[in-house]
Amino acid sequence: MKPALAAAVLAVLAAFAALALGCGSKPAAPDKPTPVTEPATNCTAPDDCDLVDACCGCSAGGKKLAIRKDAIAGFLASREQRCGGVVCLAVMSTDPSCDAEAICGSRNRCRVAPHMQHP
């Protein structure tokens, strides 16, 4: 086989291989996620916020997060997707959020804060 013909055959085979590999691939993910119009941490009063377990709760080596009360159901529903690869430990956490409370803090965001010392 002549070198020019061999090169052409290899080029055609390479093109077919590339097409075959592309046929079974997943579609490309969108460049940007859908924007969130109101983060689940916006608040106007302390009663708007509550603490929820992160992927792992305090009794499993984890921590707590402060989010809006009306966003808790959605947050819990998405736990499997968010935390699918996380392994929780069978130990009590020493994270400060485990002994804290939710407040509506600066910039009107739910925050984890140490318990207030009351006289």
Side-chain angles (χ1 to χ4, degrees):
M1 189 178 275
K2 294 184 178 183
L5 182 57
V9 170
L10 286 175
V12 169
L13 289 175
F16 280 121
L19 286 173
L21 289 174
C23 288
S25 65
K26 294 180 182 177
D31 292 337
K32 295 180 182 177
T34 305
V36 175
T37 56
E38 185 177 356
T41 59
N42 285 0
C43 59
T44 56
D47 286 345
D48 294 345
C49 306
D50 204 356
L51 295 178
V52 295
D53 289 340
C55 289
C56 300
C58 293
S59 62
K63 64 180 182 176
K64 300 230 179 230
L65 304 171
I67 64 172
R68 259 191 355 249
K69 287 180 180 177
D70 64 352
I72 291 174
F75 181 81
L76 296 176
S78 68
R79 181 180 305 267
E80 186 175 320
Q81 180 183 0
R82 287 181 295 102
C83 305
V86 176
V87 176
C88 298
L89 305 174
V91 298
M92 289 302 294
S93 177
T94 59
D95 191 271
S97 67
C98 294
D99 185 27
E101 60 188 310
I103 64 166
C104 184
S106 64
R107 298 184 182 169
N108 293 331
R109 301 272 186 217
C110 293
R111 303 270 188 233
V112 176
H115 289 290
M116 296 296 292
Q117 298 294 326
H118 299 286

XYZ file of all heavy atoms in Angstrom:
826
model
N 0.845 -1.162 0.000
C 0.000 0.000 0.000
C 0.896 1.233 0.000
O 1.858 1.301 0.738
C -0.908 -0.032 1.238
C -1.976 1.027 1.224
S -3.064 0.952 2.652
C -4.242 -0.259 2.134
N 0.550 2.206 -0.811
C 1.343 3.422 -0.914
C 1.176 4.252 0.355
O 0.110 4.238 0.982
C 0.903 4.221 -2.130
C 1.221 3.494 -3.430
C 0.853 4.365 -4.596
C 1.209 3.645 -5.881
N 0.948 4.455 -7.051
N 2.207 4.998 0.758
C 2.138 5.789 1.986
C 0.986 6.792 1.993
O 0.339 6.980 3.021
C 3.470 6.509 2.041
C 4.393 5.714 1.190
C 3.549 5.043 0.161
N 0.678 7.436 0.888
C -0.409 8.412 0.846
C -1.754 7.729 1.059
O -2.627 8.230 1.769
C -0.400 9.166 -0.488
N -1.927 6.552 0.453
C -3.172 5.813 0.602
C -3.318 5.289 2.038
O -4.402 5.344 2.628
C -3.217 4.654 -0.405
C -4.494 3.817 -0.412
C -5.719 4.683 -0.666
C -4.386 2.710 -1.426
N -2.232 4.817 2.607
C -2.247 4.320 3.988
C -2.620 5.449 4.951
O -3.406 5.251 5.886
C -0.898 3.719 4.353
N -2.082 6.635 4.723
C -2.400 7.780 5.577
C -3.875 8.149 5.455
O -4.535 8.473 6.450
C -1.518 8.968 5.218
N -4.415 8.080 4.252
C -5.826 8.408 4.039
C -6.723 7.399 4.736
O -7.734 7.754 5.369
C -6.128 8.469 2.548
N -6.369 6.113 4.647
C -7.151 5.063 5.303
C -7.124 5.264 6.812
O -8.149 5.152 7.495
C -6.634 3.659 4.895
C -7.265 2.582 5.762
C -6.918 3.400 3.422
N -5.972 5.572 7.376
C -5.853 5.807 8.818
C -6.682 7.019 9.245
O -7.307 7.000 10.312
C -4.393 5.988 9.220
C -3.557 4.717 9.232
C -2.105 5.046 9.533
C -4.088 3.732 10.266
N -6.686 8.048 8.426
C -7.459 9.244 8.751
C -8.949 8.929 8.781
O -9.683 9.388 9.671
C -7.163 10.361 7.745
N -9.426 8.142 7.807
C -10.838 7.766 7.764
C -11.190 6.896 8.973
O -12.227 7.091 9.625
C -11.165 7.040 6.433
C -12.550 6.415 6.469
C -11.046 7.998 5.261
N -10.324 5.942 9.304
C -10.576 5.088 10.474
C -10.606 5.910 11.768
O -11.433 5.664 12.649
C -9.528 3.986 10.561
C -9.632 2.889 9.485
C -8.447 1.926 9.613
C -10.940 2.140 9.597
N -9.723 6.862 11.880
C -9.686 7.721 13.062
C -10.971 8.547 13.169
O -11.524 8.736 14.256
C -8.467 8.631 13.025
N -11.467 9.018 12.019
C -12.704 9.796 12.022
C -13.881 8.930 12.465
O -14.726 9.357 13.254
C -12.963 10.385 10.640
N -13.966 7.711 11.960
C -15.039 6.802 12.370
C -14.945 6.466 13.862
O -15.949 6.385 14.556
C -15.021 5.512 11.538
C -15.658 5.661 10.186
C -14.942 5.403 9.042
C -16.987 6.059 10.068
C -15.526 5.532 7.801
C -17.582 6.192 8.832
C -16.845 5.936 7.682
N -13.742 6.282 14.359
C -13.560 5.984 15.781
C -14.026 7.155 16.635
O -14.683 6.971 17.671
C -12.099 5.649 16.066
N -13.699 8.353 16.213
C -14.126 9.533 16.969
C -15.645 9.657 16.970
O -16.252 9.989 17.993
C -13.491 10.790 16.378
N -16.276 9.384 15.843
C -17.734 9.440 15.780
C -18.363 8.365 16.658
O -19.348 8.604 17.349
C -18.210 9.273 14.334
C -18.009 10.471 13.422
C -18.373 10.111 11.991
C -18.855 11.640 13.899
N -17.800 7.179 16.649
C -18.342 6.082 17.455
C -18.238 6.401 18.938
O -19.155 6.130 19.715
C -17.608 4.779 17.139
N -17.143 7.004 19.371
C -16.988 7.366 20.774
C -17.974 8.457 21.171
O -18.488 8.465 22.277
C -15.559 7.820 21.061
C -14.498 6.722 21.043
C -13.116 7.342 21.188
C -14.745 5.720 22.139
N -18.232 9.381 20.276
C -19.139 10.483 20.569
C -20.589 10.061 20.643
O -21.394 10.705 21.297
N -20.966 8.970 20.002
C -22.374 8.553 19.970
C -22.892 8.139 21.337
O -24.051 8.324 21.642
C -22.562 7.398 18.984
S -22.422 7.922 17.277
N -22.064 7.557 22.166
C -22.530 7.092 23.463
C -22.303 8.084 24.581
O -22.620 7.817 25.711
N -21.779 9.248 24.273
C -21.468 10.184 25.342
C -22.702 10.940 25.779
O -23.685 11.048 25.065
C -20.381 11.164 24.889
O -20.873 11.966 23.845
N -22.644 11.476 26.983
C -23.743 12.253 27.535
C -23.707 13.655 26.930
O -22.650 14.151 26.574
C -23.585 12.366 29.055
C -23.722 11.052 29.763
C -23.556 11.248 31.244
C -23.648 9.926 31.976
N -23.418 10.073 33.396
N -24.845 14.321 26.869
C -24.830 15.690 26.383
C -24.049 16.574 27.343
O -23.982 16.310 28.542
C -26.315 16.087 26.343
C -27.018 15.093 27.187
C -26.171 13.847 27.207
N -23.469 17.613 26.811
C -22.668 18.527 27.628
C -23.556 19.224 28.640
O -24.704 19.555 28.371
C -21.983 19.554 26.738
N -23.021 19.427 29.829
C -23.741 20.134 30.877
C -23.835 21.611 30.501
O -22.971 22.136 29.817
C -23.005 19.978 32.206
N -24.883 22.294 30.929
C -24.972 23.718 30.632
C -23.781 24.457 31.232
O -23.235 24.059 32.245
C -26.271 24.156 31.293
C -26.886 22.957 31.904
C -25.978 21.792 31.711
N -23.405 25.544 30.590
C -22.263 26.323 31.058
C -22.487 26.911 32.438
O -21.593 26.960 33.257
C -21.939 27.453 30.072
C -21.402 26.923 28.760
O -20.877 25.789 28.746
O -21.503 27.630 27.748
N -23.682 27.372 32.681
C -23.980 28.015 33.957
C -25.234 27.400 34.552
O -26.190 27.123 33.846
C -24.216 29.514 33.752
C -22.992 30.257 33.269
C -23.306 31.720 33.083
C -22.083 32.451 32.540
N -22.363 33.852 32.285
N -25.246 27.200 35.875
C -26.468 26.699 36.503
C -27.558 27.770 36.459
O -27.278 28.952 36.305
C -26.040 26.400 37.937
C -24.826 27.218 38.151
C -24.173 27.394 36.813
N -28.785 27.350 36.597
C -29.890 28.300 36.629
C -29.706 29.219 37.819
O -29.477 28.759 38.938
C -31.230 27.549 36.765
O -31.317 26.602 35.706
C -32.403 28.492 36.724
N -29.765 30.534 37.613
C -29.538 31.456 38.728
C -30.618 31.331 39.796
O -31.787 31.096 39.495
C -29.576 32.840 38.075
C -30.189 32.658 36.748
C -30.050 31.219 36.370
N -30.223 31.489 41.044
C -31.143 31.463 42.173
C -31.538 32.907 42.442
O -30.687 33.771 42.624
C -30.461 30.842 43.413
C -31.377 30.923 44.619
C -30.062 29.415 43.124
N -32.829 33.176 42.451
C -33.260 34.556 42.627
C -33.184 35.005 44.077
O -32.934 36.165 44.347
C -34.702 34.746 42.127
O -35.545 33.825 42.819
C -34.787 34.510 40.636
N -33.404 34.090 45.004
C -33.332 34.450 46.417
C -32.655 33.315 47.180
O -33.211 32.237 47.319
C -34.737 34.692 46.977
C -34.725 35.180 48.391
C -36.131 35.476 48.907
O -37.096 35.363 48.144
O -36.231 35.799 50.089
N -31.439 33.534 47.663
C -30.751 32.470 48.391
C -31.548 32.025 49.614
O -32.297 32.803 50.197
C -29.432 33.116 48.816
C -29.270 34.298 47.937
C -30.658 34.739 47.553
N -31.373 30.798 49.995
C -32.101 30.221 51.131
C -31.614 30.775 52.456
O -32.051 30.326 53.491
C -31.980 28.705 51.110
N -30.716 31.744 52.436
C -30.217 32.320 53.677
C -30.719 33.739 53.913
O -30.407 34.324 54.931
C -28.677 32.327 53.692
O -28.201 33.079 52.583
C -28.121 30.925 53.656
N -31.497 34.311 52.993
C -32.025 35.660 53.201
C -32.987 35.656 54.376
O -33.757 34.721 54.555
C -32.771 36.158 51.962
C -31.831 36.547 50.850
O -30.622 36.457 50.987
N -32.389 36.970 49.739
N -32.969 36.726 55.175
C -33.868 36.809 56.323
C -34.120 38.273 56.672
O -33.395 39.162 56.232
C -33.280 36.085 57.527
S -31.672 36.725 58.059
N -35.158 38.484 57.477
C -35.438 39.823 58.002
C -35.550 39.806 59.521
O -35.485 40.854 60.143
C -36.731 40.393 57.393
O -37.797 39.486 57.633
C -36.576 40.631 55.890
N -35.762 38.630 60.110
C -35.896 38.497 61.562
C -35.297 37.167 62.000
O -35.233 36.224 61.215
C -37.368 38.557 61.954
N -34.869 37.074 63.264
C -34.284 35.822 63.749
C -35.217 34.619 63.590
O -34.769 33.506 63.361
C -34.007 36.099 65.228
C -33.906 37.578 65.326
C -34.827 38.128 64.274
N -36.534 34.847 63.681
C -37.491 33.750 63.548
C -37.553 33.193 62.128
O -38.160 32.145 61.907
C -38.887 34.199 63.978
C -39.006 34.348 65.492
O -38.121 33.833 66.206
O -39.974 34.973 65.946
N -36.952 33.889 61.157
C -36.927 33.394 59.778
C -35.962 32.225 59.616
O -36.037 31.491 58.642
C -36.483 34.499 58.804
C -37.459 35.637 58.714
O -38.618 35.489 59.165
O -37.069 36.706 58.199
N -35.012 32.066 60.531
C -33.895 31.129 60.376
C -33.987 29.957 61.340
O -34.546 30.076 62.423
C -32.578 31.857 60.620
S -32.362 33.333 59.613
N -33.391 28.844 60.927
C -33.288 27.674 61.793
C -32.029 26.906 61.413
O -31.470 27.109 60.330
C -34.511 26.783 61.650
C -34.747 25.912 62.878
O -33.920 25.932 63.811
O -35.776 25.202 62.899
N -31.590 26.029 62.305
C -30.411 25.199 62.046
C -30.826 23.858 61.461
O -31.844 23.292 61.867
C -29.626 24.958 63.333
C -28.996 26.186 63.991
C -28.294 25.781 65.284
C -28.020 26.868 63.061
N -30.053 23.373 60.508
C -30.249 22.046 59.930
C -28.907 21.345 59.877
O -27.860 21.992 59.840
C -30.859 22.109 58.508
C -32.262 22.671 58.542
C -29.990 22.905 57.573
N -28.947 20.020 59.869
C -27.716 19.263 59.732
C -27.149 19.460 58.331
O -27.891 19.469 57.352
C -27.957 17.770 59.952
C -28.251 17.431 61.400
O -27.921 18.238 62.289
O -28.809 16.347 61.636
N -25.834 19.600 58.243
C -25.172 19.586 56.942
C -25.245 18.132 56.465
O -26.096 17.378 56.915
C -23.735 20.074 57.083
N -24.379 17.719 55.584
C -24.420 16.323 55.118
C -24.369 15.350 56.286
O -25.080 14.362 56.314
C -23.280 16.055 54.140
S -23.532 16.865 52.550
N -23.532 15.630 57.250
C -23.433 14.806 58.454
C -23.838 15.668 59.639
O -23.372 16.799 59.773
C -22.012 14.298 58.646
S -21.404 13.291 57.276
N -24.690 15.145 60.487
C -25.114 15.876 61.671
C -24.040 15.855 62.749
O -22.992 15.215 62.618
N -24.314 16.536 63.828
C -23.340 16.652 64.918
C -23.036 15.315 65.587
O -21.946 15.110 66.099
C -23.840 17.666 65.944
S -23.872 19.350 65.278
N -23.974 14.373 65.560
C -23.715 13.064 66.146
C -22.979 12.142 65.173
O -22.709 10.993 65.494
C -25.027 12.409 66.590
O -25.851 12.207 65.466
N -22.654 12.667 63.999
C -21.943 11.877 62.991
C -20.732 12.641 62.456
O -20.403 12.571 61.279
C -22.887 11.517 61.855
N -20.078 13.410 63.330
C -18.861 14.123 62.947
C -19.079 15.336 62.077
O -18.131 15.868 61.503
N -20.319 15.819 61.948
C -20.626 16.917 61.041
C -20.826 18.249 61.713
O -20.200 18.562 62.722
N -21.736 19.032 61.146
C -22.010 20.363 61.667
C -23.418 20.784 61.291
O -24.137 20.064 60.597
C -21.000 21.367 61.108
C -21.076 21.557 59.606
C -20.036 22.560 59.133
C -20.150 22.791 57.632
N -19.213 23.808 57.191
N -23.820 21.958 61.739
C -25.130 22.534 61.434
C -24.951 23.756 60.539
O -23.920 24.409 60.562
C -25.846 22.936 62.716
C -26.097 21.784 63.665
C -27.517 21.772 64.080
C -27.759 20.604 65.018
N -28.893 19.843 64.602
N -25.990 24.036 59.752
C -26.034 25.208 58.884
C -27.277 26.012 59.221
O -28.293 25.454 59.622
C -26.108 24.780 57.415
C -25.008 23.860 56.906
C -25.353 23.363 55.504
C -23.684 24.587 56.902
N -27.222 27.321 59.030
C -28.382 28.177 59.246
C -28.996 28.520 57.896
O -28.308 29.022 57.010
C -27.970 29.449 59.978
N -30.283 28.214 57.745
C -31.010 28.559 56.522
C -32.402 29.050 56.900
O -32.826 28.920 58.054
C -31.102 27.384 55.529
C -31.915 26.224 56.105
C -29.728 26.916 55.105
C -32.201 25.127 55.085
N -33.098 29.603 55.920
C -34.467 30.056 56.146
C -35.371 28.867 56.445
O -35.241 27.814 55.841
C -34.992 30.771 54.898
C -34.976 32.244 54.974
C -35.735 32.943 53.852
N -36.266 32.089 52.830
C -35.808 32.060 51.569
N -34.816 32.825 51.207
N -36.368 31.268 50.687
N -36.295 29.042 57.359
C -37.210 27.958 57.738
C -38.010 27.445 56.550
O -38.238 26.253 56.426
C -38.160 28.421 58.851
C -37.493 28.546 60.195
C -38.480 28.995 61.251
C -37.788 29.110 62.599
N -38.705 29.607 63.639
N -38.423 28.339 55.661
C -39.233 27.892 54.533
C -38.422 27.175 53.460
O -38.988 26.649 52.504
C -40.024 29.051 53.920
C -39.146 30.123 53.303
O -37.902 30.081 53.455
O -39.699 31.033 52.651
N -37.108 27.111 53.609
C -36.252 26.409 52.653
C -35.796 25.045 53.180
O -35.120 24.304 52.474
C -35.031 27.259 52.321
N -36.164 24.715 54.405
C -35.684 23.472 55.021
C -36.155 22.236 54.262
O -35.369 21.329 53.988
C -36.094 23.402 56.508
C -35.313 24.460 57.297
C -35.840 22.019 57.087
C -35.726 24.588 58.751
N -37.413 22.189 53.860
C -37.937 21.004 53.164
C -37.168 20.754 51.870
O -36.782 19.621 51.577
C -39.422 21.163 52.886
N -36.914 21.790 51.092
C -36.149 21.640 49.855
C -34.720 21.226 50.107
O -34.150 20.414 49.380
N -34.143 21.778 51.166
C -32.770 21.435 51.535
C -32.683 19.961 51.904
O -31.790 19.247 51.449
C -32.316 22.312 52.703
C -30.907 22.059 53.152
C -29.842 22.627 52.471
C -30.641 21.270 54.261
C -28.536 22.399 52.885
C -29.347 21.041 54.675
C -28.290 21.607 53.985
N -33.612 19.494 52.705
C -33.608 18.090 53.107
C -33.894 17.171 51.924
O -33.309 16.089 51.813
C -34.620 17.855 54.231
C -34.326 18.577 55.548
C -35.444 18.338 56.545
C -32.977 18.184 56.110
N -34.758 17.601 51.018
C -35.072 16.790 49.842
C -33.874 16.634 48.914
O -33.760 15.635 48.210
C -36.245 17.406 49.086
N -32.976 17.599 48.925
C -31.806 17.536 48.038
C -30.597 16.878 48.708
O -29.526 16.808 48.127
C -31.418 18.940 47.574
O -30.912 19.713 48.648
N -30.771 16.383 49.921
C -29.649 15.810 50.683
C -28.954 14.682 49.923
O -27.732 14.637 49.850
C -30.104 15.303 52.041
C -28.973 14.725 52.886
C -29.455 14.234 54.234
N -30.154 15.270 54.960
C -29.565 16.088 55.840
N -28.290 15.982 56.084
N -30.254 17.010 56.459
N -29.704 13.765 49.357
C -29.099 12.628 48.661
C -28.223 13.097 47.497
O -27.127 12.597 47.287
C -30.179 11.684 48.147
C -29.615 10.415 47.544
C -30.706 9.436 47.146
O -31.697 9.290 47.885
O -30.546 8.811 46.081
N -28.697 14.077 46.754
C -27.921 14.599 45.621
C -26.674 15.349 46.095
O -25.594 15.182 45.557
C -28.790 15.526 44.781
C -28.075 16.122 43.592
C -28.965 17.086 42.826
O -30.114 17.319 43.176
N -28.424 17.657 41.780
N -26.820 16.173 47.129
C -25.697 16.968 47.625
C -24.660 16.133 48.360
O -23.481 16.426 48.312
C -26.189 18.045 48.604
C -26.913 19.196 48.003
C -27.332 20.226 49.060
N -28.308 19.699 50.012
C -28.037 19.301 51.259
N -26.823 19.392 51.731
N -28.976 18.821 52.043
N -25.120 15.125 49.065
C -24.245 14.413 49.994
C -23.980 12.963 49.589
O -23.513 12.175 50.417
C -24.864 14.441 51.386
S -25.234 16.101 51.982
N -24.272 12.602 48.365
C -24.159 11.221 47.925
C -22.818 10.566 48.198
O -22.751 9.410 48.571
N -21.729 11.267 48.045
C -20.407 10.678 48.227
C -19.792 10.918 49.588
O -18.645 10.557 49.839
N -20.536 11.523 50.504
C -19.999 11.863 51.818
C -20.171 10.693 52.776
O -21.235 10.088 52.848
C -20.704 13.110 52.391
C -20.223 13.423 53.796
C -20.485 14.304 51.474
N -19.125 10.377 53.498
C -19.174 9.324 54.518
C -19.165 10.000 55.884
O -18.260 10.764 56.200
C -17.961 8.370 54.395
C -17.981 7.350 55.517
C -17.957 7.697 53.038
N -20.191 9.740 56.672
C -20.286 10.317 58.017
C -19.641 9.376 59.026
O -19.729 8.154 58.884
C -21.748 10.559 58.374
S -22.564 11.731 57.272
N -19.007 9.954 60.013
C -18.316 9.180 61.041
C -19.201 8.989 62.265
O -20.017 9.851 62.577
C -17.026 9.898 61.457
C -16.059 10.232 60.321
C -14.904 11.069 60.852
C -15.555 8.966 59.670
N -19.010 7.918 62.961
C -19.785 7.644 64.171
C -19.098 8.254 65.381
O -18.736 7.568 66.328
C -19.970 6.144 64.349
N -18.904 9.575 65.343
C -18.276 10.302 66.447
C -19.039 11.597 66.676
O -19.635 12.153 65.758
C -16.786 10.626 66.170
C -15.971 9.371 66.007
C -16.639 11.517 64.959
N -19.007 12.078 67.889
C -19.609 13.376 68.195
C -18.710 14.476 67.642
O -17.500 14.445 67.808
C -19.780 13.552 69.707
C -20.863 12.679 70.311
S -22.502 12.906 69.600
C -22.881 14.560 70.091
N -19.312 15.437 66.991
C -18.570 16.549 66.409
C -18.210 17.576 67.472
O -18.943 17.768 68.438
C -19.412 17.223 65.332
O -18.745 18.343 64.810
N -17.100 18.237 67.264
C -16.701 19.339 68.129
C -16.864 20.677 67.410
O -16.394 21.694 67.898
C -15.240 19.174 68.597
O -14.395 19.124 67.441
C -15.071 17.921 69.431
N -17.551 20.670 66.259
C -17.757 21.903 65.505
C -18.593 22.875 66.347
O -19.588 22.466 66.964
C -18.474 21.598 64.184
C -18.478 22.793 63.265
O -19.415 23.618 63.339
O -17.523 22.917 62.468
N -18.215 24.153 66.400
C -18.962 25.135 67.204
C -20.436 25.251 66.821
O -21.263 25.612 67.649
C -18.242 26.456 66.935
C -16.910 26.094 66.385
C -17.052 24.737 65.751
N -20.783 24.917 65.587
C -22.183 25.017 65.154
C -23.079 24.029 65.884
O -24.300 24.200 65.917
C -22.279 24.797 63.643
O -21.931 23.464 63.307
N -22.487 22.997 66.477
C -23.277 21.978 67.176
C -23.812 22.485 68.516
O -24.700 21.866 69.108
C -22.446 20.709 67.358
S -22.073 19.912 65.784
N -23.280 23.587 69.009
C -23.758 24.212 70.239
C -23.993 25.686 69.933
O -23.313 26.566 70.449
C -22.739 24.047 71.364
C -23.257 24.575 72.690
O -24.488 24.589 72.893
O -22.429 25.004 73.517
N -24.948 25.942 69.044
C -25.183 27.299 68.573
C -26.654 27.505 68.284
O -27.473 26.622 68.524
C -24.346 27.555 67.319
N -26.968 28.688 67.783
C -28.327 29.010 67.399
C -28.316 29.753 66.068
O -27.278 30.255 65.639
C -29.007 29.856 68.473
C -28.322 31.182 68.742
C -28.920 31.909 69.942
O -30.154 32.040 69.998
O -28.148 32.324 70.805
N -29.455 29.774 65.410
C -29.583 30.493 64.141
C -30.021 31.919 64.426
O -30.905 32.158 65.243
C -30.600 29.801 63.245
N -29.371 32.866 63.768
C -29.743 34.275 63.887
C -29.869 34.871 62.489
O -29.371 34.314 61.517
C -28.706 35.080 64.703
C -27.349 35.104 63.982
C -28.572 34.543 66.122
C -26.377 36.135 64.536
N -30.534 36.009 62.416
C -30.545 36.794 61.186
C -29.444 37.823 61.380
O -29.602 38.793 62.119
C -31.907 37.442 60.961
S -32.013 38.332 59.397
N -28.320 37.591 60.746
C -27.130 38.404 60.996
C -26.940 39.528 60.002
O -27.884 40.005 59.370
N -25.678 39.917 59.857
C -25.329 41.020 58.978
C -25.751 40.730 57.545
O -25.800 39.578 57.117
C -23.828 41.288 59.044
O -23.117 40.173 58.555
N -26.095 41.777 56.849
C -26.537 41.699 55.454
C -27.792 40.837 55.288
O -28.008 40.231 54.253
C -25.426 41.226 54.539
C -24.243 42.162 54.521
C -23.221 41.726 53.539
N -22.088 42.652 53.614
C -20.947 42.449 53.040
N -20.747 41.347 52.336
N -19.971 43.318 53.139
N -28.570 40.744 56.372
C -29.830 39.981 56.353
C -29.646 38.561 55.843
O -30.358 38.095 54.960
C -30.893 40.722 55.550
C -31.307 42.013 56.218
O -31.252 42.133 57.424
N -31.717 42.984 55.423
N -28.692 37.861 56.440
C -28.419 36.459 56.095
C -28.527 35.616 57.362
O -28.070 36.015 58.441
C -27.004 36.295 55.539
C -26.730 37.095 54.310
C -27.126 36.293 53.104
N -26.717 37.024 51.918
C -27.418 37.055 50.814
N -28.532 36.400 50.728
N -27.001 37.733 49.777
N -29.111 34.426 57.229
C -29.146 33.491 58.349
C -27.713 33.075 58.661
O -26.943 32.770 57.753
C -29.980 32.264 57.993
S -31.731 32.595 57.758
N -27.382 33.078 59.939
C -26.033 32.739 60.379
C -26.093 31.816 61.586
O -27.039 31.846 62.366
C -25.258 33.997 60.803
C -25.136 35.063 59.751
C -23.897 34.850 58.930
N -23.697 35.974 58.043
C -23.534 35.863 56.744
N -23.535 34.696 56.179
N -23.368 36.918 55.997
N -25.043 31.026 61.736
C -24.854 30.211 62.935
C -24.094 31.077 63.919
O -23.068 31.666 63.574
C -24.047 28.929 62.618
C -23.773 28.144 63.891
C -24.776 28.078 61.598
N -24.600 31.179 65.155
C -23.952 32.026 66.171
C -23.944 31.303 67.497
O -24.870 30.528 67.797
C -24.688 33.346 66.292
N -22.921 31.578 68.328
C -22.905 30.984 69.677
C -24.155 31.418 70.436
O -24.700 32.494 70.195
C -21.647 31.568 70.320
C -20.846 32.139 69.207
C -21.788 32.449 68.088
N -24.618 30.571 71.350
C -25.767 30.928 72.168
C -25.493 32.226 72.908
O -24.369 32.454 73.383
C -26.088 29.826 73.186
C -26.643 28.599 72.570
N -27.904 28.544 72.010
C -26.117 27.362 72.388
C -28.129 27.337 71.539
N -27.055 26.591 71.746
N -26.495 33.060 73.002
C -26.347 34.319 73.728
C -26.257 34.019 75.231
O -26.961 33.157 75.737
C -27.554 35.231 73.468
C -27.682 35.654 72.008
S -26.299 36.663 71.433
C -26.556 38.138 72.381
N -25.371 34.723 75.882
C -25.240 34.594 77.335
C -26.261 35.512 77.984
O -26.201 36.722 77.848
C -23.818 34.981 77.785
C -22.740 34.099 77.216
C -22.842 32.673 77.744
O -23.224 32.459 78.877
N -22.481 31.718 76.910
N -27.252 34.930 78.658
C -28.284 35.739 79.312
C -27.962 35.849 80.795
O -27.641 34.869 81.440
C -29.660 35.092 79.121
C -30.049 34.972 77.679
N -30.437 36.052 76.932
C -30.080 33.905 76.844
C -30.712 35.652 75.690
N -30.500 34.352 75.620
N -28.053 37.075 81.312
C -27.732 37.258 82.752
C -28.730 36.613 83.673
O -29.758 36.228 83.406
C -27.727 38.768 82.940
C -28.317 39.376 81.728
C -28.391 38.311 80.683
